[in-house]
Amino acid sequence: MVRIGYTMMTEQAGPRELVGHVVRAEEAGFDFSVTSDHYFPWLRSQGHSPYAWSVLGAAAQATSRIPLMTYVTCPTFRYHPAVVAQKAATMQLLSEGRFRLGLGSGENLNEHVVGGGWPTVDVRHEMLEEAVEIIRALFEGRHVTHHGTHFDVESARLWDLPDRTPPIGVAVSGERSCALAGRLADLVIATEPKKELLDAFDRHGGEGKPRVGQLPVCYDPDRNAAVERAHDQFRWFGSGWKVNSELPHPDSFDLATQFVRPDDVAGSIPCGSDPEDFVEAVRPYVEAGFTEIALVQIGGESQPQYLDWSEKTLLPALREAFG
């Protein structure tokens, strides 16, 4: 049975609104939720970027059932891995075991703010691997002293640990990240329905572990309005992660996508109110082998209407098709 999730996209709503949205998503019957962790929005038109971990703490107290997850946190630039471990352990306690820690190698858009430069992808993967090892050691309750290639830790210990360690997910986009995830992660994360990513994850030790995908959608009773909003706020999405991870500023994404047309966006993102269009957009993820798919409704102000429609129409249609 495929689980359908809700995305708290911090780039398109303020903190109080995000918490209200996930409360309604729980009421509507979504199976889980994920939260982006940004310092900048992708485009200025999205207009927001509150601190994800404060939002998550509030969401943990405002909800009672729905699982929570970072999708994803970079534990190597803005945050030191020892601090990420402390935040994740605290979130697991606050949520009473509903938290999963999704990690990735990051985007220049968010990580450049601390002034550490932006290394090559190979170095970023080295840093992520070392960070995961540090986080796991701290999750085990040990005093950790570590002097590695990229990080130093001096006699660190987590004093408030949950009974159940937060599962760690790793985002993948190619063979090397799949190998890292297969060895070190409890689940795999991807934003494209590529079976070859899951096959590579399995080859490196991921067989039988959950696999979580993500898909942008744009509900609106007026399909033209949905297409216009998706183009305005999400035309960056089709650029691919080799591009998206490198650009440093929302204006860079605006320039890089200046020739993307509304029809181009509508060809890759389901827009409107026909649930069958949304079902068919989810289908490639299911056929590739994803066990969980988090939907991203485009547009912060459209969330209440989308959540009402999801409860009445979309979730029943998806469960009839895949559940």
Side-chain angles (χ1 to χ4, degrees):
M1 182 175 178
V2 176
R3 302 173 73 226
I4 303 299
Y6 175 77
T7 299
M8 286 190 285
M9 192 173 187
T10 59
E11 301 94 288
Q12 64 180 16
R16 292 181 64 86
E17 290 75 19
L18 289 163
V19 174
H21 296 160
V22 77
V23 168
R24 180 68 185 99
E26 180 177 68
E27 294 171 350
F30 280 89
D31 298 313
F32 68 101
S33 70
V34 302
T35 307
S36 58
D37 186 352
H38 272 235
Y39 202 92
F40 276 90
W42 297 99
L43 294 167
R44 288 179 182 266
S45 57
Q46 291 178 319
H48 294 275
S49 199
Y51 183 53
W53 290 86
S54 296
V55 173
L56 282 164
Q61 296 303 289
T63 58
S64 60
R65 175 194 60 82
I66 195 166
L68 304 164
M69 178 180 176
T70 50
Y71 203 100
V72 293
T73 286
C74 176
T76 54
F77 292 94
R78 278 182 297 153
Y79 311 136
H80 190 283
V83 176
V84 173
Q86 185 187 35
K87 293 193 291 191
T90 300
M91 264 303 302
Q92 185 73 316
L93 289 166
L94 286 171
S95 66
E96 298 182 313
R98 291 183 283 136
F99 181 69
R100 294 182 293 180
L101 176 62
L103 300 175
S105 57
E107 297 101 12
N108 195 9
L109 176 70
N110 302 302
E111 309 307 324
H112 78 270
V113 297
V114 295
W118 192 239
T120 65
V121 65
D122 288 346
V123 172
R124 299 199 305 265
H125 284 148
E126 286 178 8
M127 296 175 74
L128 179 59
E129 182 167 0
E130 188 175 338
V132 173
E133 292 169 350
I134 292 167
I135 292 167
R136 286 222 180 266
L138 287 164
F139 280 173
E140 292 171 3
R142 293 155 43 191
H143 272 97
V144 176
T145 295
H146 172 93
H147 300 290
T149 304
H150 301 287
F151 299 106
D152 290 308
V153 182
E154 291 288 351
S155 189
R157 177 191 168 190
L158 299 183
W159 288 87
D160 289 275
L161 278 169
D163 294 333
R164 178 174 178 261
T165 298
I168 294 176
V170 168
V172 301
S173 59
E175 184 71 25
R176 180 161 184 179
S177 55
C178 288
L180 191 159
R183 292 195 314 273
L184 298 178
D186 302 303
L187 56 133
V188 68
I189 294 165
T191 56
E192 297 175 281
K194 292 183 176 179
K195 186 176 185 299
E196 57 266 32
L197 293 176
L198 303 185
D199 290 342
F201 177 62
D202 288 347
R203 285 198 305 274
H204 293 286
E207 190 170 355
K209 297 176 182 178
R211 44 220 58 207
V212 187
Q214 189 178 55
L215 170 69
V217 301
C218 197
Y219 164 77
D220 197 288
D222 181 341
R223 187 176 185 278
N224 290 333
V227 172
E228 181 179 347
R229 187 169 68 244
H231 178 262
D232 179 53
Q233 297 191 22
F234 241 80
R235 64 185 181 273
W236 56 272
F237 187 76
S239 301
W241 291 108
K242 289 185 178 180
V243 174
N244 290 344
S245 63
E246 301 295 335
L247 299 180
H249 193 273
D251 292 346
S252 306
F253 283 89
D254 187 41
L255 185 63
T257 59
Q258 61 182 312
F259 299 116
V260 176
R261 302 168 302 173
D263 286 348
D264 299 327
V265 174
S268 59
I269 295 173
C271 295
S273 59
D274 185 346
E276 286 307 308
D277 292 341
F278 291 68
V279 168
E280 290 309 308
V282 168
R283 191 176 302 280
Y285 288 84
V286 177
E287 293 177 347
F290 285 87
T291 57
E292 306 177 42
I293 299 139
L295 305 180
V296 186
Q297 164 66 4
I298 298 170
E301 293 182 357
S302 71
Q303 301 299 312
Q305 296 85 357
Y306 164 72
L307 288 163
D308 289 345
W309 178 73
S310 293
E311 181 177 23
K312 296 173 184 176
T313 303
L314 179 59
L315 290 175
L318 290 171
R319 286 169 181 147
E320 182 178 355
F322 306 121

